[in-house]
Amino acid sequence: MSLNFGRTLLAIPGPSVIPDRVLAAMHRPSPNIYTGELIEITETLYPDLRRVACTNSDVAIYIANGHGAWEAALRNTLSAGDKILVLATGTFGLGWGELAESLGIDVQLLDFGFQSDADPDQVEEVLRNDKDSNIKAVLTVQTDTASSVINDIPRLRKAIDAADHDCLFMVDCIASLGCDRFEMDDWGVDVMVTACQKGLMTPAGISFVFFNDKAAEARKSVAPGQYWDWLPRTQPEVYYQKFAGTAPTQHIFALREALDILVHEEGIERAWARHKTIAHAVWAAVDAWGKNGVMHHNIADQAKRSHAVSAISTNDDHAGQIREWCEFEAGITLGIGLGLAKQNTPEWNQYFRIGHMGHQNVAMTMAVLGAIDTAMKARGIAHGDSALVAATNILAKHPSG
Ligand SMILES: *Cc1c(COP(=O)(O)O)cnc(C)c1O
């Protein structure tokens, strides 16, 4: 016997829940790909993507997941043998660095582990010591989805400026865009990569590289290869070049609908505020459950937690039991402890993550928290009480309108 009936809910940190309207927008035949509506719709995406990223910079669209955008950003700005500084605060910072190494780029890694953000002072020191400007770029992740830490992008920019270094500043906003505040131009980011399946609420399959004039200048002295080149994608002679081949037709319809929701109906500021409230509600519940020490935030300092995802550690194998109960008895899939422990080890079952990015509301938030609360009762896991009350206390304070 199981309570698992009705609609299932994916509460992992990407892919995120796709709004029904976005799914419906995809459900139509492919249009003419050389002329007409598709071309017009595609043109409307760029200004809206810029609004989401708070930038006037160019943006190239790739038919690829986030890893493709990672590679595109590197190929358009760097060559084999170039040196870069990678700031890792979890699996994804490490991953972007590994991808760079695979391209023959010389990676200096500042690894801050899985429990803290990147330290701007250390970044400044490394750059100050790089007297000959050998370091061509600093790479970092705004929200590292594995640790759920958020890096302070404006402070890292200040560190680069304080060292008077002219490297490119490249930021991965794959988990954070549309969820955590991000202002590309005001924050002095030269290259930003993101993908469509997290805060942008679209099925995985397209990703984006935003680049400013400084990055465009760097592009002139590298050979990115025809497919990854961002130039024809941003300055095409014919539409076909925008995607270096066939356009991702249904994805374009989906993204159009998602941007209608995010940019035109809700507005990016409101989306950030909603994510903030929902994140605080989740944290309040975790704090309440963990009163007797059975559960902890992976990132202890609240100011350093992303609003898109929360990584949580538990005693013993409680996280594994919670994940299992939620999935099989409640139809709610929680995130695994990616990078926090090795799979098939006892530690693997001490971590779970809650994705609260993108298409999230009170009903979905409380469903996830309610399922976790129920899982602990069902499995006899001791925990603090009143977690759901703590969460609704926070949700109730969200400014209306
Ligand atoms: C999801 C994610 C990625 C990887 O994106 P894929 O689409 O899986 O390639 C990279 N960086 C961050 C921060 C992410 O959250």
Side-chain angles (χ1 to χ4, degrees):
M1 291 212 291
S2 169
L3 294 168
N4 188 355
F5 190 78
R7 221 170 223 246
T8 57
L9 182 58
L10 194 62
I12 67 175
S16 64
V17 173
I18 304 161
D20 291 346
R21 273 175 58 188
V22 172
L23 287 173
M26 301 179 80
H27 199 90
R28 48 177 292 197
S30 293
N32 188 332
I33 60 164
Y34 298 103
T35 178
E37 185 194 21
L38 184 72
I39 288 139
E40 285 158 27
I41 292 178
T42 306
E43 285 314 314
T44 67
L45 299 176
Y46 296 92
D48 286 343
L49 288 167
R50 287 190 189 100
R51 282 165 81 172
V52 175
C54 300
T55 185
N56 291 316
S57 74
D58 262 320
V59 49
I61 307 179
Y62 292 86
I63 304 181
N65 62 16
H67 283 68
W70 272 354
E71 181 155 346
L74 299 173
R75 284 188 182 274
N76 279 278
T77 51
L78 300 159
S79 306
D82 283 347
K83 185 171 180 184
I84 63 171
L85 180 65
V86 173
L87 317 179
T89 51
T91 301
F92 292 98
L94 293 169
W96 201 6
E98 278 167 21
L99 196 149
E101 269 176 354
S102 80
L103 296 174
I105 293 165
D106 176 11
V107 174
Q108 180 174 350
L109 182 67
L110 275 182
D111 190 350
F112 299 94
F114 277 69
Q115 249 116 38
S116 68
D117 62 341
D119 174 8
D121 293 339
Q122 286 187 51
V123 175
E124 184 180 332
E125 194 188 314
V126 170
L127 294 178
R128 269 190 200 284
N129 290 332
D130 181 40
K131 302 264 186 268
D132 303 328
S133 283
N134 285 323
I135 295 172
K136 296 281 181 271
V138 171
L139 268 56
T140 192
V141 174
Q142 187 186 19
T143 288
D144 200 299
T145 325
S147 61
S148 74
V149 80
I150 187 162
N151 284 307
D152 190 335
I153 302 301
R155 277 209 60 205
L156 291 168
R157 173 78 252 177
K158 283 204 186 90
I160 298 170
D161 292 344
D164 199 18
H165 202 290
D166 75 344
C167 60
L168 289 170
F169 187 30
M170 318 214 327
V171 181
D172 167 343
C173 292
I174 295 174
S176 52
L177 197 74
C179 310
D180 290 303
R181 175 178 290 276
F182 177 79
E183 301 178 62
M184 179 164 174
D185 290 357
D186 285 358
W187 292 3
V189 173
D190 299 309
V191 176
M192 185 271 275
V193 298
T194 193
C196 68
Q197 78 272 24
K198 300 189 183 179
L200 297 181
M201 306 180 287
T202 298
I206 47 179
S207 56
F208 312 90
V209 180
F210 292 73
F211 58 96
N212 68 9
D213 291 346
K214 182 172 172 176
E217 205 47 44
R219 157 68 190 80
K220 291 181 184 160
S221 43
V222 301
Q226 188 189 42
Y227 184 78
W228 293 110
D229 195 352
W230 67 34
L231 258 186
R233 290 171 189 265
T234 50
Q235 296 170 32
E237 281 161 33
V238 290
Y239 178 79
Y240 199 67
Q241 291 182 335
K242 262 192 194 297
F243 301 99
T246 307
T249 47
Q250 276 71 11
H251 268 83
I252 289 172
F253 297 143
L255 185 63
R256 180 61 270 154
E257 191 72 18
L259 290 171
D260 279 346
I261 296 171
L262 179 60
V263 177
H264 295 285
E265 293 168 27
E266 184 174 33
I268 192 67
E269 292 274 352
R270 278 200 176 84
W272 291 335
R274 175 172 52 83
H275 281 88
K276 181 177 179 188
T277 295
I278 288 174
H280 278 263
V282 169
W283 302 342
V286 172
D287 287 339
W289 287 321
K291 264 184 290 217
N292 57 0
V294 296
M295 191 181 277
H296 302 273
H297 292 284
N298 183 55
I299 302 300
D301 182 352
Q302 182 169 301
K304 297 188 172 172
R305 289 184 209 144
S306 166
H307 295 158
V309 50
S310 295
I312 296 148
S313 65
T314 64
N315 294 341
D316 308 321
D317 65 345
H318 293 161
Q321 291 206 47
I322 291 166
R323 282 201 313 260
E324 192 184 83
W325 193 91
C326 285
E327 174 128 37
F328 297 109
E329 302 299 326
I332 292 182
T333 306
L334 300 173
I336 55 171
L338 184 76
L340 296 164
K342 284 204 171 66
Q343 215 156 347
N344 302 325
T345 62
E347 294 75 37
W348 179 248
N349 284 322
Q350 291 182 11
Y351 298 93
F352 69 100
R353 290 174 305 152
I354 303 173
H356 34 84
M357 50 177 58
H359 192 54
Q360 287 290 319
N361 62 14
V362 171
M364 294 149 102
T365 307
M366 292 311 296
V368 170
L369 299 178
I372 295 169
D373 201 78
T374 314
M376 287 191 283
K377 288 182 180 164
R379 289 290 169 95
I381 299 169
H383 59 279
D385 61 8
S386 303
L388 303 183
V389 175
T392 55
N393 284 344
I394 302 278
L395 294 172
K397 290 199 198 103
H398 191 69
S400 48

